[in-house]
Amino acid sequence: MSAPVLAVVVCRDGESWLPGVLAALGEQSERPRRVLAVDTGSTDRTAELLAQARADQVVDDVLTLPRDTSFATAVADAVALGKRRWADPGRWLWLLDGGSAPEPNRLAGLLATEDPTAAEVEPGKLIRRDVFERLERRPSPSPRENARGGFLNRGGVLRLLSSPLFVLTAALLLFALINALIAGRLGSGLAGGRLLPVADLATTWRDYLAAWHPVAGGTGSPASPSLLVLAVLGSVLGGPSVVVSLLLLFGVPLAGVSAYFATRSLPVPPLRRAIAAGAYALLPAASLSAGEGRLDVVVAHVLVPPLLAGIAAVIRLSDGQWLGKVCLTALGLAVLGAFAPLMHLSLIVLALLAHVLLPGETARSQRRVAGLAAVVLLSVACLLPWPVVFLQHPQVLLHGLGARAVEQPAGAWLLALSPDGSPASWLGVLFVLAAVGALVVAWDKRMLPAAGVAVFGWLLAAAVDGSAAEPIAGGAATVGWTGGPLVLVAVGCSWIVLQAGRPKLPEVPRVFGLAALAVVALGLVASSAIALVGGPLAPAQPWAGPSGTRLVLDPGPQPARLVTGSGPRFGDDDLAPAGSAADWLRQVDDDLQSDDPGRVREALAAVAARGAEFVVVPGDSRVLELGRGLVNEHAGLPDGSRVLRLLLPSSPVKLVGPDLARQAQTEPEPTPEARPLPVAAQLPNFTVRISEGGAGRALVLGAENEPGWYARVDGMAFPLATAWGHQVAIPLPEQAAEVQVGFTELPRTALLSVQAAAVLFTLVAAIPGRRRKPAPKP
């Protein structure tokens, strides 16, 4: 039914709420005769959304006015346009803005209680057109009416405080703060589970830019770009550890807000979007991952909804602002890829599938191909040289980033969106039930893309859950964690519910619907809180032992670690060991945990040759007894472990005489009786002065021999050799000379330059430009 009403929608930067208001207008049981939209100088996508709404005949016309236009003036100009176009646009004016998304029976109710004397020119009101025109004949509006046209008034503040976005954000922030207080995690410096302690800002920058890393015997593998993201954000927010803590503690509200804004282009009322965003934010699988320090899943939980919306915008590419959309989406994909490379690849695959399956005219298809190609290439270029690691070590896609861990397969629990079958994550099944219910009782063809995303996520989760491989840093072969793919399933299920049409069943009484919604909300809050609080994430404890290089025996199934400084830190387990370092660590671990004195002593000699000063063993270890004469007791640790000091020469650079040098060329490990001379130098770059000596002597480095090492003797390039089967050796001349040793940084610097150029271009191009406003229509 059509009522004699002219609906006037006044917009200013209404990208986030306009689709919901327009959708609500279309759902009115008694619809207005005409709908006019007034854009008062918006700088976001409001103009694009209004143009599409006019093309879809959702609004009858659009009027563009300057940004400083008051609400009352915007309504007056809209009424004047309506009278010019239709002579009689309607007896009543219905005034709307972002804070007044109407319920389906709102207009019918206003008309039933109409007051011919009402003269309030403010959003949400119904006013007689002749009364409004009499008010407009005054020489100037009163201060009271001017105040109503502004934003900072009591009504505007009340509308803001009661808006769905504000309530959603406040509720989720309260949830996050309460959980942080209960778990004792409020603060920076968190660690536990798959999260290793995060270094300070200077160390994080150094770790990312370095060409060689003293991890697992040394490696020239490129560092994860997640260090770059943490370093950049940490430069602004107070350090990388603060950034990580903010993500882990406030990932729930961040995910809710990002999901709310990601759905702004859907023709759905804001309240409905807020409810769906809140449910998605409380996804138990994501909270479980956050409690276990899985930073990759937390980042995916926050970024996947807006990135899917960005990919959809790139596929549409209906206006000239395509470069900004492409670059903003590429930048977001690069950040996602820095923490969750599998999700980065998955979204690219989804984008390509959407391009193949969705029809489009020739011109738009060409723009779509260019846009998608730019998204893929720019997002990869912003991650250089990290993508090369994926080609050499594809298991990174399976395990993601973080400390090594042994995962348990989820099996059939994947259907309930549970990554491990723990009770705290069982209520993820609510997302599946809601989506299935929407498909059955409120089918709409717009659900097909959402269903495709959910099915793709499930298939990806099944592949991750069914594949086992050794982590990049070495260790026990294990399946992957399915938290990231299940986030994709949850997005698809939420999207299905938001796209639901009118139910085919009789309407449920409102009280029953509210009761069911309350039960679901309480269930998600409880399960998400339990999953979040129950994880091992906690404030990082400082290392209580000596700070020198040490070999640490893991009491579990993981091989030993070779650690330098205060301990392993975020990013160390994402570096690919060089050469046979992983196999060497596994063999040394086996030897030290054996009951054979010969094997234990040989392993201690090999550890000393790598430059280790200490060995950290479990409390019940027999290394001290079996390796007597080579180690002694140094200290005990709070967890019951013992620190043993090596009595063998253990500097990272050693000088070996001719006989020992010949032995190093043929033997896989040094004998416990070998006594090289320590050299005061630190890896990877150093310069030493050597005196005259016998022919055949050499410098041996406690580092894996890999491409990138170089040596110069008196300024001339000198060939390298291998000692003990896998360590760097520099043969020395008989005469005195100056020896310069280093690890080349040229390839790393070149790739970092390409990455910096790609990031800078993408960042600048992603900044929104000034939108050209269409001229007012007569």
Side-chain angles (χ1 to χ4, degrees):
M1 297 178 61
S2 176
V5 175
L6 171 63
V8 179
V9 184
V10 180
C11 314
R12 180 181 296 163
D13 296 332
E15 181 179 8
S16 62
W17 55 262
L18 183 57
V21 172
L22 295 178
L25 281 173
E27 295 175 353
Q28 295 297 304
S29 59
E30 192 163 3
R31 299 190 179 186
R33 178 183 297 171
R34 302 289 181 187
V35 178
L36 279 177
V38 184
D39 183 4
T40 56
S42 298
T43 58
D44 57 2
R45 294 179 57 246
T46 297
E48 177 187 342
L49 294 174
L50 290 177
Q52 186 62 46
R54 187 181 185 192
D56 296 339
Q57 298 182 346
V58 176
V59 300
D60 296 286
D61 209 341
V62 178
L63 178 64
T64 303
L65 297 175
R67 191 170 180 84
D68 57 355
T69 304
S70 68
F71 185 85
T73 303
V75 174
D77 288 0
V79 172
L81 174 60
K83 290 175 65 176
R84 289 197 302 269
R85 286 204 57 183
W86 304 294
D88 181 17
R91 187 168 67 250
W92 294 88
L93 300 178
W94 190 18
L95 311 182
L96 300 167
D97 69 353
S100 52
E103 298 295 328
N105 296 322
R106 177 63 175 166
L107 181 55
L110 289 173
L111 290 170
T113 59
E114 60 188 19
D115 180 6
T117 64
E120 294 185 351
V121 185
E122 61 182 23
K125 296 295 184 180
L126 193 68
I127 181 174
R128 285 277 295 266
R129 182 162 60 87
D130 55 351
V131 174
F132 175 80
E133 288 172 346
R134 283 199 302 270
L135 292 173
E136 286 302 303
R137 292 191 193 105
R138 297 174 185 181
S140 61
S142 66
R144 181 168 176 261
E145 289 162 0
N146 266 334
R148 283 176 176 165
F151 176 75
L152 295 178
N153 56 75
R154 185 173 63 181
V157 172
L158 290 176
R159 286 195 300 274
L160 173 64
L161 295 179
S162 61
S163 65
L165 176 59
F166 183 87
V167 174
L168 170 71
T169 305
L172 294 180
L173 277 174
L174 182 63
F175 170 86
L177 286 172
I178 291 175
N179 279 279
L181 288 172
I182 293 175
R185 298 172 181 159
L186 198 59
S188 62
L190 298 177
R194 288 211 71 189
L195 179 65
L196 292 172
V198 181
D200 58 46
L201 183 61
T203 304
T204 302
W205 274 115
R206 185 176 66 248
D207 286 349
Y208 180 69
L209 297 175
W212 184 84
H213 308 272
V215 175
T219 177
S221 172
S224 163
S226 59
L227 294 177
L228 174 62
V229 177
L230 295 182
V232 171
L233 295 179
S235 301
V236 179
L237 298 177
S241 63
V242 176
V243 177
V244 171
S245 296
L246 289 174
L247 281 172
L248 292 171
L249 297 180
F250 298 100
V252 168
L254 287 173
V257 173
S258 73
Y260 180 85
F261 281 106
T263 57
R264 63 185 180 270
S265 62
L266 299 179
V268 179
L271 179 59
R272 190 170 163 188
R273 290 167 49 208
I275 293 173
Y280 169 77
L282 295 169
L283 176 68
S287 295
L288 183 68
S289 299
E292 295 182 354
R294 301 178 187 273
L295 198 58
D296 52 345
V297 181
V298 174
V299 173
H301 190 212
V302 174
L303 290 184
V304 165
L307 286 177
L308 283 175
I311 290 172
V314 170
I315 289 176
R316 289 195 300 266
L317 287 177
S318 57
D319 60 9
Q321 303 293 325
W322 74 277
L323 183 60
K325 294 177 183 177
V326 164
C327 289
L328 186 61
T329 304
L331 193 63
L333 275 175
V335 174
L336 177 65
F339 292 91
L342 177 64
M343 300 306 297
H344 179 197
L345 179 62
S346 302
L347 293 191
I348 289 177
V349 172
L350 279 175
L352 298 179
L353 288 175
H355 168 67
V356 172
L357 297 176
L358 294 179
E361 63 272 15
T362 304
R364 178 171 293 185
S365 295
Q366 293 174 350
R367 291 196 301 270
R368 182 188 293 175
V369 170
L372 289 178
V375 164
V376 174
L377 295 177
L378 283 175
S379 66
V380 172
C382 288
L383 295 174
L384 287 173
W386 181 244
V388 178
V389 177
F390 303 157
L391 301 177
Q392 299 172 341
H393 306 277
Q395 65 266 39
V396 175
L397 297 174
L398 177 65
H399 298 124
L401 272 64
R404 57 195 186 185
V406 177
E407 311 287 7
Q408 298 301 319
W413 288 109
L414 294 178
L415 298 176
L417 303 195
S418 173
D420 63 353
S422 60
S425 60
W426 287 351
L427 282 188
V429 74
L430 292 174
F431 287 82
V432 182
L433 295 178
V436 172
L439 289 169
V440 172
V441 304
W443 163 253
D444 190 293
K445 64 180 181 179
R446 296 176 300 174
M447 294 178 174
L448 282 174
V453 170
V455 171
F456 180 85
W458 261 315
L459 293 175
L460 183 63
V464 170
D465 193 59
S467 303
E470 182 178 304
I472 186 174
T478 178
V479 299
W481 178 258
T482 56
L486 292 183
V487 164
L488 202 57
V489 179
V491 171
C493 291
S494 302
W495 189 6
I496 289 173
V497 174
L498 284 175
Q499 294 283 28
R502 292 189 176 275
K504 301 174 184 178
L505 301 176
E507 288 193 11
V508 178
R510 187 179 182 86
V511 64
F512 292 113
L514 292 175
L517 182 61
V519 171
V520 170
L522 289 175
L524 285 176
V525 167
S527 62
S528 184
I530 294 172
L532 188 62
V533 172
L537 189 68
Q541 300 299 320
W543 166 249
S547 60
T549 303
R550 57 198 179 277
L551 185 83
V552 182
L553 301 188
D554 193 307
Q558 303 292 359
R561 287 180 181 273
L562 194 59
V563 178
T564 300
S566 60
R569 54 181 177 259
F570 180 83
D572 283 0
D573 281 358
D574 305 317
L575 295 167
S580 59
D583 296 331
W584 177 82
L585 282 169
R586 187 181 296 106
Q587 184 61 51
V588 165
D589 188 294
D590 292 341
D591 290 342
L592 289 177
Q593 298 198 46
S594 72
D595 291 328
D596 184 345
R599 291 176 62 186
V600 170
R601 295 175 65 83
E602 290 176 359
L604 291 174
V607 172
R610 283 297 185 122
E613 303 172 65
F614 305 93
V615 178
V616 182
V617 298
D620 59 351
S621 172
R622 299 185 61 203
V623 170
L624 179 61
E625 174 188 347
L626 299 176
R628 191 165 300 279
L630 301 182
V631 290
N632 62 12
E633 190 89 33
H634 179 77
L637 298 180
D639 62 356
S641 300
R642 294 184 296 164
V643 180
L644 308 180
R645 176 184 288 275
L646 282 162
L647 302 179
L648 296 168
S650 54
S651 63
V653 182
K654 302 179 183 68
L655 177 65
V656 297
D659 293 338
L660 191 55
R662 285 191 292 272
Q663 183 183 351
Q665 293 176 3
T666 57
E667 299 295 330
E669 302 289 354
T671 63
E673 293 74 28
R675 292 294 186 269
L677 296 177
V679 177
Q682 295 296 324
L683 301 179
N685 303 312
F686 63 91
T687 301
V688 295
R689 183 77 184 176
I690 60 169
S691 59
E692 293 183 5
R697 58 185 180 155
L699 287 178
V700 177
L701 311 187
E704 194 78 16
N705 195 352
E706 60 176 325
W709 287 102
Y710 65 87
R712 295 188 179 93
V713 177
D714 287 336
M716 302 294 292
F718 217 68
L720 300 180
T722 301
W724 312 124
H726 46 82
Q727 292 180 219
V728 180
I730 301 102
L732 299 176
E734 298 182 44
Q735 66 274 16
E738 183 180 77
V739 181
Q740 181 185 8
V741 179
F743 194 89
T744 180
E745 298 185 1
L746 183 60
R748 170 74 171 161
T749 303
L751 290 173
L752 286 179
S753 300
V754 175
Q755 181 198 33
V759 170
L760 184 62
F761 170 80
T762 307
L763 186 61
V764 172
I767 298 174
R770 185 177 180 86
R771 182 181 294 275
R772 183 176 298 174
K773 302 180 180 65
K777 297 180 178 62

